[in-house]
Amino acid sequence: MLRLIARRLAFAPLTLLLVSFVCFLVLRVTGNPVDIYLDINRTPEQVAALTERLHLDRPLLIQYLIYLRDVAQGNFGDSLQYGGPAIDAVLTAIGPTVQLLTVALSLAVVLGVIGGLIAAIQRDKLADAILSSLAVTGQSMPSFWLGILLIQFFALKLQWLPTSGRGEWRHVVLPAITLATILLPNFLLVTRAAIIDLMSEQFVVTARAKGLSPLHILMRHLFPNALNPLLSFLGIQVGTLMAGSIITESIFAWPGLGRLMVSAVFHRDAPVVLAAVFFVSLTIVLASLIVDILQGVVDPRIRQ
């Protein structure tokens, strides 16, 4: 297991370097930071001083190496919008995003797996048809459109839940449902396909021949063997969930990392964008590592 973790950790810095370099390059070549920091009344002396302070008079690769040196010291630069260190704005937004992702992912995994198990057991019956149809409908529905519908019905018409913001538990209901529907249909269909694929295996036929109950076969033989493809799918979908949180947080004015990134991009707040992308990349890398470890626990062959 330690060798597996070491192999995965060896690739993590390379991934972070590639993501940070692409993001740094895009922000540098799409606009001069001096034009953003200084207004039209700037003097040549101010331009020269800021150019030197931001190291813009040096080659791009040297600028990137200086940026990496500062990041290693925890310095992502000062935010243009908030006037303080960019890392402070990002750290403030991480908590709400983690809360939203945790609730949404829990809903998607629990409901998706349960729905997939029911659909597989009731294959080609009414329950399977209803659940599969709902899953395909969920896959076809854009999350931003569903979020607007939920606001219209539950917040504006019934007035059961707030339209936006963050505070008590009621504020997280609509954003979490909106975000969960991005993954829930996929979890349902993947679980259904994995269970149905295992039903024809010899060990399942043997268990049936021994007279074991369908529930016992499902929980002791089918579901444990279906965990590996489910974990693989979960690892792939972490990035999708992070991308979906950007749209969901913008719709519901949720003060998280996704909404902060959108605001920073519109205001050309490069330090906040770079810091936010770094932490999003780090989260995806760590989530993939956790999934790999769980796969190694479930299937010993992966640890080889």
Side-chain angles (χ1 to χ4, degrees), residues 24-44:
F24 181 87
L25 183 65
V26 169
L27 289 172
R28 279 290 188 268
V29 300
T30 54
N32 188 349
V34 173
D35 296 332
I36 303 169
Y37 279 91
L38 300 178
D39 57 24
I40 58 175
N41 297 319
R42 60 193 176 189
T43 64

Side-chain angles (χ1 to χ4, degrees), residues 63-96:
Q63 294 180 38
Y64 178 67
L65 293 177
I66 294 173
Y67 165 74
L68 288 182
R69 182 201 62 190
D70 294 339
V71 168
Q73 298 172 352
N75 178 19
F76 286 85
D78 292 332
S79 168
L80 296 177
Q81 290 178 275
Y82 306 102
I87 186 66
D88 290 348
V90 172
L91 291 177
T92 302
I94 284 178

Side-chain angles (χ1 to χ4, degrees), residues 44-301:
E45 291 76 15
Q46 289 176 318
V47 172
L50 186 59
T51 300
E52 183 179 0
R53 186 166 70 87
L54 297 178
H55 311 291
L56 299 176
D57 53 343
R58 300 190 180 188
L60 192 61
L61 182 58
I62 301 299
Q63 294 180 38
Y64 178 67
L65 293 177
I66 294 173
Y67 165 74
L68 288 182
R69 182 201 62 190
D70 294 339
V71 168
Q73 298 172 352
N75 178 19
F76 286 85
D78 292 332
S79 168
L80 296 177
Q81 290 178 275
Y82 306 102
I87 186 66
D88 290 348
V90 172
L91 291 177
T92 302
I94 284 178
T97 294
V98 170
Q99 179 191 10
L100 178 60
L101 292 180
T102 302
V103 178
L105 187 60
S106 300
L107 280 175
V109 172
V110 173
L111 297 180
V113 170
I114 292 175
L117 292 176
I118 295 173
I121 295 171
Q122 301 293 319
R123 183 184 182 185
D124 297 333
K125 296 181 180 177
L126 180 61
D128 180 27
I130 294 174
L131 288 170
S132 297
S133 300
L134 288 175
V136 173
T137 303
Q139 283 183 317
S140 309
M141 185 181 301
S143 61
F144 69 89
W145 184 62
L146 175 64
I148 294 172
L149 287 181
L150 292 175
I151 290 175
Q152 287 280 354
F153 187 71
F154 290 103
L156 299 180
K157 184 176 178 61
L158 299 180
Q159 298 185 347
W160 287 354
L161 298 167
T163 58
S164 60
R166 179 174 180 255
E168 54 187 77
W169 66 268
R170 296 191 310 142
H171 287 84
V172 79
V173 175
L174 294 183
I177 292 174
T178 302
L179 190 57
T181 53
I182 297 175
L183 298 185
L184 198 155
N186 297 329
F187 268 109
L188 192 153
L189 295 175
V190 169
T191 304
R192 177 184 180 277
I195 295 295
I196 289 176
D197 188 51
L198 289 169
M199 281 181 172
S200 59
E201 294 291 335
Q202 188 60 43
F203 67 90
V204 179
V205 176
T206 304
R208 286 174 180 157
K210 289 181 178 178
L212 299 178
S213 68
L215 181 62
H216 182 87
I217 294 174
L218 176 67
M219 301 309 297
R220 293 292 301 273
H221 298 285
L222 289 174
F223 186 63
N225 284 283
L227 276 177
N228 208 359
L230 286 175
L231 289 173
S232 299
F233 178 76
L234 176 62
I236 296 171
Q237 294 300 313
V238 171
T240 304
L241 193 67
M242 294 295 295
S245 70
I246 295 175
I247 300 173
T248 304
E249 289 179 3
S250 299
I251 294 173
F252 292 94
W254 186 263
L257 201 56
R259 186 164 175 255
L260 178 70
M261 289 175 67
V262 172
S263 175
V265 169
F266 277 115
H267 290 86
R268 297 279 302 168
D269 195 348
V272 172
V273 173
L274 289 169
V277 170
F278 177 83
F279 277 94
V280 169
S281 304
L282 184 62
T283 301
I284 294 174
V285 168
L286 292 178
S288 298
L289 175 63
I290 293 172
V291 169
D292 287 340
I293 293 173
L294 291 176
Q295 282 186 299
V297 173
V298 172
D299 189 351
R301 292 173 298 178

